[in-house]
Amino acid sequence: VATSPDANAMHYNPAKYAFIQDKMGFSISYTPWLRNLVNDINMAYVSYYNRIGDMQTIAFSLRYFSLGEITFTDDQGTNLGTYKPNEFAIDGTYSRKLSDYLSLAVAGRFIYSNLTQGQTVQGVETKPGISVAADIAMYWEKDVSWFKNMDATFAWGFDISNIGQKISYTSSNIEQDFIPTNLRIGPRLTMELDDYNTLTFFGDINKLLVPTPPIYKTDSSGAPIPIPGTDEYEIAAGMNPNVSVIRGMIQSWYDAPGVPKEDENGEYIYGDDGKAEVESGSVFKEELREFYYSVGTEYWYNNILAIRAGYFWEHASKGARQYATLGVGLRYNVFGLDFSYLIPTGGNANQNPLQNTLRFTLLFNFDNLNKN
């Protein structure tokens, strides 16, 4: 969220565009997906920015995800045809400096997710999911003199992304899902070791701002118990997730169900309010588990060669994504190339969709083209 501004700032923090040095540029990224299993699932990303004067920048991006060719079948295995599900998002942002050190940005996003290709499932007609969303971002950057005989830059960033309407894949719109509203905040420290060598450290803290799924009451067969006259179920612990988008963002900070207490027969112990009693401190502990963290470092030689490394950690009960990353960057004239490689760690070492995959980004800097 606070790495140095570049063409891909839209994805992590669009407020960084106001501090970008070049007049105009764009980038193209390509990511194979589940490469160990198939060869036709991939994500492509294109971004473009244009700085207007010294204080403001506009930028746009397109993210396209192809799920490849999939043969649909019914519950009896009958072939229903072969389709190519896909989804995309189109973004636009306006980023402006408020001072020499601070900038703000607002971004808009249109989301189109066509996963079912209009299939009818259990008598319900499906449709593409459509949503619109917005981002609010902030970025602060200043040169500092914290180290003797060494120039340095400190920066921090803040971004709330995907504040938007719920998405539905059925014509009835009865079942609607939150899109992944996310809070991201973190710092950066760049140290100029000498005229040719630069070393940077940065980190991010993330949290999804959507309701935590509750624990539902179940009958003797283990099925959730419905509330008569509604489409909802009785909740044993936690809070009702069927709320508005803004309420969901607020509720996400305190709605973790925790660990319910059980009797000697393994049954939940209920209080007078009809909710299961939870173990002391388990709600707070689960809320802390909903944060996920990443740290990284980057070394540049003469603004030509970059070597990067990082680590991402998420609790096992909240997704279990844990992996290290390695990267290399090259810059020459108007062109830039970035490569990255992901190494899964932890208990899910064989389950990451990007393992054994080389990702790359191609960047173009039009300022250098004009200068030459």
Side-chain angles (χ1 to χ4, degrees):
V1 72
T3 53
S4 55
D6 63 12
N8 293 314
M10 177 74 78
H11 183 70
Y12 295 102
N13 183 355
K16 294 191 294 184
Y17 280 122
F19 281 84
I20 205 160
Q21 298 296 316
D22 304 316
K23 167 66 177 177
M24 183 188 307
F26 75 95
S27 72
I28 303 172
S29 302
Y30 176 78
T31 302
W33 205 263
L34 291 172
R35 180 58 72 203
N36 287 349
L37 299 178
V38 293
N39 60 8
D40 62 350
I41 301 180
N42 58 78
M43 184 188 303
Y45 188 80
V46 180
S47 62
Y48 165 83
Y49 68 89
N50 191 332
R51 185 161 51 82
I52 304 172
D54 296 329
M55 302 294 291
Q56 54 194 349
T57 304
I58 58 173
F60 305 91
S61 69
L62 168 65
R63 178 169 28 172
Y64 181 83
F65 185 53
S66 171
L67 279 75
E69 192 173 90
I70 298 178
T71 300
F72 285 31
T73 65
D74 60 17
D75 54 359
Q76 303 298 318
T78 305
N79 191 325
L80 300 178
T82 299
Y83 301 90
K84 294 183 178 181
N86 61 82
E87 50 190 1
F88 65 84
I90 301 175
D91 302 358
T93 187
Y94 173 76
S95 177
R96 182 177 180 86
K97 282 186 178 181
L98 300 183
S99 71
D100 291 338
Y101 312 118
L102 179 67
S103 65
L104 291 176
V106 175
R109 177 170 300 108
F110 173 77
I111 302 167
Y112 182 88
S113 177
N114 189 4
L115 302 180
T116 60
Q117 304 282 292
Q119 296 291 318
T120 299
V121 181
Q122 296 181 348
V124 178
E125 183 180 352
T126 63
K127 66 171 186 177
I130 296 176
S131 180
V132 292
D135 299 355
I136 300 174
M138 180 183 297
Y139 180 69
W140 185 92
E141 177 184 287
K142 186 178 181 181
D143 294 336
V144 295
S145 55
W146 295 348
F147 309 95
K148 185 177 180 180
N149 300 324
M150 183 185 299
D151 294 331
T153 301
F154 179 76
W156 59 267
F158 172 87
D159 179 47
I160 301 179
S161 59
N162 285 324
I163 307 171
Q165 68 182 40
K166 298 179 184 179
I167 197 167
S168 175
Y169 293 90
T170 65
S171 301
S172 62
N173 285 327
I174 294 177
E175 183 176 342
Q176 295 185 324
D177 299 306
F178 286 90
I179 62 175
T181 306
N182 184 75
L183 167 67
R184 179 183 290 112
I185 187 170
R188 167 174 64 93
L189 176 64
T190 298
M191 298 179 293
E192 297 183 13
L193 306 179
D194 54 38
D195 292 340
Y196 296 96
N197 300 279
T198 302
L199 185 63
T200 300
F201 300 95
F202 32 76
D204 278 4
I205 300 175
N206 286 262
K207 186 186 188 306
L208 281 176
L209 301 183
V210 298
T212 303
I215 297 174
Y216 292 101
K217 295 181 180 180
T218 57
D219 56 25
S220 57
S221 66
I225 300 174
I227 299 175
T230 70
D231 296 319
E232 300 180 357
Y233 299 94
E234 294 187 24
I235 295 175
M239 302 180 67
N240 186 354
N242 295 320
V243 295
S244 66
V245 172
I246 300 300
R247 174 64 185 276
M249 293 173 61
I250 299 172
Q251 180 177 305
S252 67
W253 293 93
Y254 57 84
D255 63 353
V259 180
K261 294 181 180 179
E262 298 181 353
D263 58 21
E264 61 275 8
N265 298 318
E267 301 290 338
Y268 293 154
I269 300 174
Y270 290 94
D272 296 335
D273 60 355
K275 291 291 188 69
E277 298 181 6
V278 298
E279 296 181 4
S280 176
S282 63
V283 173
F284 179 70
K285 184 183 295 184
E286 184 173 352
E287 289 291 351
L288 290 180
R289 290 174 177 176
E290 294 183 354
F291 290 89
Y292 50 102
Y293 311 90
S294 56
V295 294
T297 184
E298 178 184 61
Y299 164 78
W300 273 100
Y301 174 73
N302 200 27
N303 292 322
I304 296 176
L305 171 66
I307 299 175
R308 308 181 179 102
Y311 190 77
F312 181 98
W313 186 90
E314 182 179 57
H315 193 272
S317 66
K318 298 297 179 179
R321 293 176 296 172
Q322 298 172 20
Y323 52 83
T325 57
L326 299 173
V328 175
L330 299 171
R331 299 290 184 271
Y332 179 74
N333 205 338
V334 301
F335 300 105
L337 274 173
D338 288 308
F339 300 91
S340 68
Y341 191 80
L342 183 146
I343 305 171
T345 62
N348 64 325
N350 297 316
Q351 300 177 16
N352 196 293
L354 294 178
Q355 67 183 41
N356 300 326
T357 300
L358 184 67
R359 294 178 285 167
F360 71 89
T361 296
L362 178 63
L363 301 101
F364 297 88
N365 180 353
F366 290 111
D367 272 11
N368 288 343
L369 181 64
N370 293 331
K371 292 174 183 176
N372 288 305

